[in-house]
Amino acid sequence: MTANEMKLPVVHVINGRQKKLLQGHPWVYGNEIERVEGDVPDGGLVTVVDFRGRYMGTGFYNSRSLITVRLLTHRQEPVTEEMIAGRVRAACAYRRFVLARPGTDCCRLIYGEADRLPGVICDRFGGVVVLQVLALGMERYTQVIAETLMDCVHPDCLVLANDDAIRRKEGMECFTRVLSGTLPQETIINENGIKLSVDVTGGQKTGYFLDQKENHLFVRQFCKDARVLDCFSYIGGFALNAALAGAREVTAVDISDKAVALIERNAALNGAQIHTVCANCFDFLREQVREQQRYDVVVLDPPAFTKAHANMASACRGYKEIALSAMRLLPPGGVLATHSCSYHMPEDVFVNTVLSAAQDLHRQVRVITLRRQDIDHPVLAGYPESHYLKSLWLQMLD
């Protein structure tokens, strides 16, 4: 241990919990801590050691958070502004793969711990960059992160959208502020050649879910001359791709009237014909089954049904219910694309839950593919929480 680490307060991890840290996991929960040696303010740096006193990493401490320590490094190196700036530059450099795609000017620039910037989220929407800092320890580096982003991607506008409720749990205030430039009256992005109006200050998360870009594109091959139903549509990502791929009819359903208004705006931007419905998707699916409706393609992209492992049984019931309804709407040859965006729903459990719906209906299905989030939401080895999106594509055989 270096002299620099010796000066920091020391967090001792209980025996048995050091293995995940050795594998690269960046979190230490409060119930994994045996004791804290020294005085440490919330948001301060600490050294983490195992039960034998061996160095595990350096990170930020916050007694108010279930994630009590967020590690910045597993190496004995000083935590400096230059370290943070270097990681921002590396994250932006990696995203050039995504931004090189034709007709795409949007991507996630920083994905928190997966980019070794714990609690930091940054999305690019054309000329607008939206930054969120959700961890107390990273708050002090906001200016460094923002300045480095400006140097790397030269946005017209940089918005600090620190309005997520997670900040209150971390002991921080919630607010939204424009740090640089002027926020346009309407933010329009391009995703695989499709124009999308995005609400960066009033929409969900940072304004739009950029993790589905490749899955939106993937749906096109199934939609020529098809009747398509897109449930939990939000602002119409799957529905628009279906319409522009030549679907004969597209219905997009969302419970939010604001989301439905954006679907209609985005349809107009692209000259697409989409029938919108503002309704609870569970109720709508049941109604369509009662009416004996038929669709060639059904997309289910719900919000996370569970944000805790303890609620997994309830989440499974939710995923199975909508899968049962969707399968009842699909004829032989029909395609179901169903998704889970919850880390707490393991991939194998999600797949088996959906397949059990087909078994209950005595229908055979073909697994077309199992996909994940787009590559601008990378999965960090040793940090399974960074893999959260499961995208299961099935074809009904009978």
Side-chain angles (χ1 to χ4, degrees):
M1 187 178 296
T2 67
N4 184 59
E5 271 76 30
M6 287 293 290
K7 296 177 183 177
L8 296 176
V10 179
V11 170
H12 294 258
V13 177
I14 63 176
N15 189 11
R17 302 301 174 93
Q18 70 274 11
K19 182 179 179 181
K20 72 169 190 175
L21 301 180
L22 288 169
Q23 293 172 340
H25 203 285
W27 292 347
V28 180
Y29 290 99
N31 62 4
E32 297 175 324
I33 295 174
E34 180 185 347
R35 70 183 189 278
V36 179
E37 193 177 323
D39 295 327
V40 51
D42 287 337
L45 283 168
V46 294
T47 294
V48 176
V49 300
D50 70 4
F51 69 104
R52 290 193 179 99
R54 293 179 299 187
Y55 177 82
M56 294 280 101
T58 303
F60 293 116
Y61 180 89
N62 189 349
S63 64
R64 303 187 191 190
S65 175
L66 288 174
I67 306 169
T68 307
V69 182
R70 297 175 186 264
L71 292 178
L72 276 162
T73 179
H74 291 77
R75 299 181 179 182
Q76 298 187 23
E77 57 182 332
V79 175
T80 64
E81 290 189 353
E82 181 50 40
M83 168 195 274
I84 301 301
R87 290 184 177 181
V88 173
R89 288 192 291 268
C92 292
Y94 169 73
R95 271 58 181 199
R96 291 182 188 130
F97 292 110
V98 178
L99 290 172
R101 293 176 185 165
T104 300
D105 62 3
C106 55
C107 73
R108 174 147 292 184
L109 291 172
I110 301 174
Y111 178 35
E113 282 79 349
D115 283 303
R116 300 182 301 162
L117 291 164
V120 179
I121 299 296
C122 183
D123 287 336
R124 176 176 175 177
F125 300 109
V128 177
V129 167
V130 180
L131 171 65
Q132 286 186 327
V133 181
L134 305 176
L136 179 60
M138 293 299 293
E139 184 97 316
R140 73 184 74 173
Y141 296 105
T142 298
Q143 191 62 32
V144 171
I145 295 168
E147 290 175 357
T148 308
L149 285 167
M150 294 294 296
D151 290 341
C152 287
V153 298
H154 309 291
D156 299 324
C157 177
L158 177 60
V159 179
L160 183 60
N162 282 346
D163 55 354
D164 196 293
I166 291 174
R167 283 179 57 89
R168 291 194 182 93
K169 296 179 181 179
E170 289 274 319
M172 299 184 286
E173 64 174 326
C174 292
F175 63 91
T176 296
R177 183 168 66 243
V178 175
L179 292 183
S180 177
T182 301
L183 185 64
Q185 188 172 0
E186 182 179 29
T187 301
I188 297 176
I189 63 172
N190 294 283
E191 180 191 291
N192 298 316
I194 289 177
K195 291 182 174 63
L196 292 165
S197 178
V198 176
D199 185 356
V200 298
T201 57
Q204 296 184 34
K205 300 298 184 181
T206 59
Y208 180 53
F209 300 103
L210 293 166
D211 50 5
Q212 289 277 31
K213 294 186 300 301
E214 278 295 283
N215 292 327
H216 288 160
L217 185 63
F218 189 74
V219 80
R220 294 186 189 184
Q221 62 198 295
F222 305 108
C223 295
K224 177 69 173 173
D225 299 323
R227 189 180 189 215
V228 180
L229 174 61
D230 178 17
C231 289
F232 311 95
S233 185
Y234 190 38
I235 67 171
F238 282 107
L240 285 162
N241 278 271
L244 297 182
R248 75 173 187 275
E249 179 186 324
V250 180
T251 300
V253 187
D254 199 276
I255 198 170
S256 164
D257 54 355
K258 290 183 178 180
V260 169
L262 277 172
I263 297 171
E264 293 169 352
R265 169 61 177 152
N266 290 327
L269 282 173
N270 293 278
Q273 296 295 319
I274 296 176
H275 173 57
T276 59
V277 178
C278 187
N280 179 300
C281 288
F282 282 84
D283 295 339
F284 182 83
L285 284 164
R286 286 192 288 263
E287 179 185 338
Q288 296 295 284
V289 171
R290 284 194 298 270
E291 294 179 359
Q292 297 184 339
Q293 295 289 330
R294 288 290 180 267
Y295 294 89
D296 302 296
V297 178
V298 176
V299 179
L300 306 173
D301 189 17
F305 286 164
T306 177
K307 295 185 179 180
H309 182 77
N311 299 326
M312 193 168 69
S314 175
C316 286
R317 288 193 293 271
Y319 289 120
K320 185 169 183 176
E321 179 180 339
I322 57 175
L324 280 165
S325 293
M327 290 177 184
R328 289 184 171 113
L329 298 174
L330 289 164
V335 172
L336 170 62
T338 183
H339 303 83
S340 169
C341 61
S342 172
Y343 158 72
H344 296 284
M345 174 58 60
E347 189 171 78
D348 61 335
V349 175
F350 174 65
V351 171
N352 289 333
T353 297
V354 176
L355 294 182
S356 72
Q359 293 165 8
D360 287 359
L361 296 174
H362 305 289
R363 298 191 68 178
Q364 285 196 310
V365 296
R366 172 185 288 129
V367 177
I368 300 172
T369 187
L370 180 59
R371 299 167 64 84
R372 292 183 171 185
Q373 64 238 35
D374 205 349
I375 62 171
D376 54 348
H377 293 64
V379 176
L380 178 67
Y383 176 49
E385 289 86 349
S386 55
H387 168 218
Y388 65 96
L389 181 64
K390 280 74 67 174
S391 177
L392 177 63
W393 299 68
L394 304 175
Q395 184 180 43
M396 311 306 294
L397 294 182
D398 56 17

